[in-house]
Amino acid sequence: QVQLVESGGGLVQAGGSLRLSCAASGSTFSNCVMGWFRQAPGKEQEFVAWISRSGDSTIYSDSVKGRFTISRDNAKNTVFLQMNSLKSEDTAVYYCAGRPTGRQKYDYWGQGTQVTVSS
């Protein structure tokens, strides 16, 4: 089992930046594709960003492309989400998730961290 713990959320002004971290425990971290998802009140969960096992490939949702950057450090069992030029619509609970190689489902989820963007 992989345990994920997000941190770095908080209150930030529109136009500001935050860096989220997701610390993983367990020996299978490097075998997991990692993703960030978010859910705003009253909204469905939405995909934010994805990163390959090696970190060489990334995918972003259109809503965050050009503003957010996902990265990972497998030696430290950590994945990051650098969020710049934040907008009020980015306000949500952000979740880190891991999907083992060959799996359709994200099996591992963190508890979430709140990001609130004020205007």
Side-chain angles (χ1 to χ4, degrees), residues 38-100:
R38 67 187 183 186
Q39 187 166 23
K43 300 290 186 66
E44 292 185 349
Q45 185 185 73
E46 67 171 329
F47 164 79
V48 175
W50 171 95
I51 189 166
S52 64
R53 289 172 294 164
S54 67
D56 290 338
S57 298
T58 57
I59 299 174
Y60 300 93
S61 68
D62 289 339
S63 61
V64 308
K65 192 175 300 181
R67 300 187 297 120
F68 290 10
T69 302
I70 187 172
S71 61
R72 68 190 294 166
D73 186 341
N74 287 347
K76 296 183 177 180
N77 283 8
T78 306
V79 62
F80 306 95
L81 185 68
Q82 178 67 47
M83 305 185 295
N84 298 327
S85 302
L86 283 163
K87 307 173 181 179
S88 60
E89 62 209 70
D90 295 318
T91 295
V93 176
Y94 283 71
Y95 297 92
C96 176
R99 176 165 56 85

